């Protein structure tokens, strides 16, 4: 029996509230997996196992797949679909409630990767969880909504560039790999998707005070249409202007025109001892 038949046979009901749009297209699944250089000493985390189509592919190339799935009605169908895939462990729980460090400590592995077709209603909390929990992930390869992919990988000057872009780009090099049309999902969602690759940065930008930097960036974007002069009026605007002048910029620009390196330079100047 194929995956669709097993789901039907078990009277599985798709749940919109969990973002259940399953991907069964073998070519696209292969393309996603080939973006991650997974080897037999890799532990792969998959958030949202669904009907297990991606899980099967990941199981074939990795040492271990640790999957998370919130929907317990998938337990029985998944036990059939993944019957022969012995290196897969599935935790039936809300991924956002887990302490990932505790979940992974029993495994031996060389590299940790995340590969998933994410539930879109919690895309950002899932990705930031790895940063907040300080988990050393080599690569995160995820299917997300196309416009969210643009935001994650956007560059200064573009409309979607914001404080989240800067936050994520501080930790990762981010590339949109390819767009996936809505028509290949089952059931078909209302939006197109894209696969994004987050690769751990080898060297991070130097910062005197990381908290200061992220707060500065957040403040700079508070009101998108306003200038730095307005949004950063609680900071030393003269010092900020001095730094920007070196880059032929000034405080009458908007935050969307400032690069992550320039924000770092401003933050370091403002926190200089
Ligand atoms: N990986 C499958 C695929 O590619 O076909 C399913 C992807 S589907 C877009 C997202 C999956 O995430 C669904 O199976 C959904 O039930 C699950 N999910 C939603 N919220 C979750 C959460 N908080 N924790 C774990 N899984 C969740």
């Amino acid at each position: 029996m194929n995956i669709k038949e097993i789901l039907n046979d078990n009277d599985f009901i798709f749940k919109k509230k969990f973002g259940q749009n399953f991907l069964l297209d073998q070519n696209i699944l292969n393309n996603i997996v080939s973006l991650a250089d997974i080897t037999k000493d890799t532990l792969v985390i998959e958030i949202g196992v669904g009907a297990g189509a991606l899980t099967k592919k990941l199981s074939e190339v990795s040492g271990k797949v640790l999957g998370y799935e919130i929907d317990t009605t998938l337990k029985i169908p998944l036990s059939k679909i993944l019957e022969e895939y012995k290196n897969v462990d599935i935790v039936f729980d809300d991924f956002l409630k887990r302490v990932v460090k505790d979940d992974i400590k029993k495994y031996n592995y060389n590299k940790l990767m995340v590969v998933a077709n994410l539930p879109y209603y919690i895309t950002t909390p899932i990705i930031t969880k790895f940063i907040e929990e300080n988990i050393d992930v080599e690569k995160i390869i995820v299917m997300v909504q196309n416009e969210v992919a643009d935001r994650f990988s956007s560059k200064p000057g573009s409309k979607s560039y914001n404080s989240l872009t800067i936050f994520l780009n501080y930790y990762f090099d981010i590339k949109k790999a390819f767009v996936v049309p809505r028509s290949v999902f089952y059931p078909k969602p209302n939006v197109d998707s894209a696969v994004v690759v987050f690769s751990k940065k080898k060297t991070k930008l130097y910062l005197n005070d990381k908290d200061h930097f992220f707060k500065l960036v957040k403040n700079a974007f508070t009101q998108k249409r306003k200038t730095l002069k307005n949004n950063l009026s609680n900071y030393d605007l003269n010092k900020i202007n001095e730094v920007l002048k070196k880059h032929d910029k000034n405080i009458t620009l908007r935050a969307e025109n400032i690069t992550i390196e320039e924000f770092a330079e401003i933050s370091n100047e403002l926190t200089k001892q």
Side-chain angles (χ1 to χ4, degrees):
M1 266 200 280
N2 66 30
I3 287 184
K4 272 188 187 170
E5 287 164 347
I6 294 176
L7 291 176
N8 282 335
D9 207 49
N10 286 274
D11 301 321
F12 175 71
I13 298 165
F14 282 92
K15 292 160 204 73
K16 230 180 165 170
K17 66 169 179 179
F18 290 148
Q20 288 178 345
N21 300 101
F22 295 167
L23 179 64
L24 305 175
D25 184 297
Q26 295 301 308
N27 284 333
I28 297 175
L29 289 168
N30 285 334
N31 289 344
I32 295 173
V33 174
S34 65
L35 287 171
D37 4 84
I38 298 172
T39 51
K40 286 287 171 193
D41 58 2
T42 306
L43 168 65
V44 182
I45 293 181
E46 183 190 5
I47 302 112
V49 172
L54 179 59
T55 323
K56 280 186 182 184
K57 302 269 179 204
L58 295 170
S59 153
E60 281 161 9
V61 290
S62 69
K64 189 93 194 171
V65 181
L66 170 61
Y68 292 88
E69 177 51 59
I70 198 169
D71 185 356
T72 49
T73 70
L74 282 163
K75 245 184 209 179
I76 293 171
L78 273 175
S79 68
K80 293 176 187 160
I81 293 164
L82 297 174
E83 200 175 6
E84 281 151 33
Y85 295 77
K86 303 293 177 205
N87 61 342
V88 178
D89 289 347
I90 301 178
V91 176
F92 284 92
D93 198 0
D94 179 350
F95 174 72
L96 295 178
K97 294 205 178 121
R98 305 297 301 185
V99 178
V100 180
K101 272 214 168 121
D102 288 348
D103 288 346
I104 61 178
K105 66 178 169 225
K106 60 177 176 217
Y107 300 114
N108 279 322
Y109 59 89
N110 228 333
K111 278 185 298 187
L112 177 64
M113 305 237 187
V114 176
V115 184
N117 172 15
L118 291 181
Y120 293 170
Y121 71 106
I122 45 171
T123 297
T124 302
I126 289 174
I127 294 168
T128 51
K129 186 171 168 71
F130 288 98
I131 296 173
E132 278 151 14
E133 284 196 26
N134 205 8
I135 296 163
D136 191 14
V137 191
E138 207 72 30
K139 272 188 185 178
I140 301 178
I141 292 154
V142 278
M143 177 96 72
V144 301
Q145 228 172 293
N146 192 22
E147 59 194 49
V148 175
D150 287 336
R151 182 177 297 289
F152 289 162
S153 56
S154 71
K155 299 282 173 257
S158 92
K159 256 204 290 184
S160 52
Y161 180 76
N162 71 0
S163 59
L164 176 65
T165 318
I166 295 183
F167 177 70
L168 296 174
N169 277 272
Y170 170 74
Y171 294 96
F172 297 101
D173 292 316
I174 306 176
K175 287 214 166 72
K176 178 167 155 179
F178 54 87
V179 174
V180 181
R182 63 192 81 181
S183 56
V184 301
F185 293 91
Y186 175 68
K188 191 171 109 179
N190 297 326
V191 290
D192 292 323
S193 299
V195 176
V196 183
V197 181
F198 294 71
S199 309
K200 184 174 81 176
K201 276 230 157 86
K202 296 217 166 59
T203 40
K204 293 203 188 72
L205 275 176
Y206 175 78
L207 295 174
N208 290 341
D209 180 343
K210 205 156 81 179
D211 292 341
H212 179 279
F213 169 76
F214 286 127
K215 200 159 175 220
L216 171 83
V217 171
K218 233 182 164 158
N219 287 330
F221 282 93
T222 324
Q223 287 184 277
K224 248 200 140 283
R225 311 293 308 160
K226 295 213 164 168
T227 64
L228 293 171
K229 193 174 162 185
N230 284 308
N231 282 335
L232 297 179
S233 58
N234 288 334
Y235 291 81
D236 184 336
L237 288 172
N238 285 332
K239 277 190 181 167
I240 297 177
N241 219 15
E242 282 308 306
V243 174
L244 288 175
K245 261 197 207 156
K246 289 191 228 160
H247 303 278
D248 292 326
K249 296 185 181 176
N250 62 62
I251 51 172
T252 66
L253 290 171
R254 293 192 190 126
E256 68 194 35
N257 297 108
I258 309 302
T259 66
I260 179 167
E261 291 80 10
E262 288 160 355
F263 273 119
E265 208 179 320
I266 293 170
S267 171
N268 287 343
E269 182 60 32
L270 294 173
T271 51
K272 207 155 75 181
Q273 297 291 335

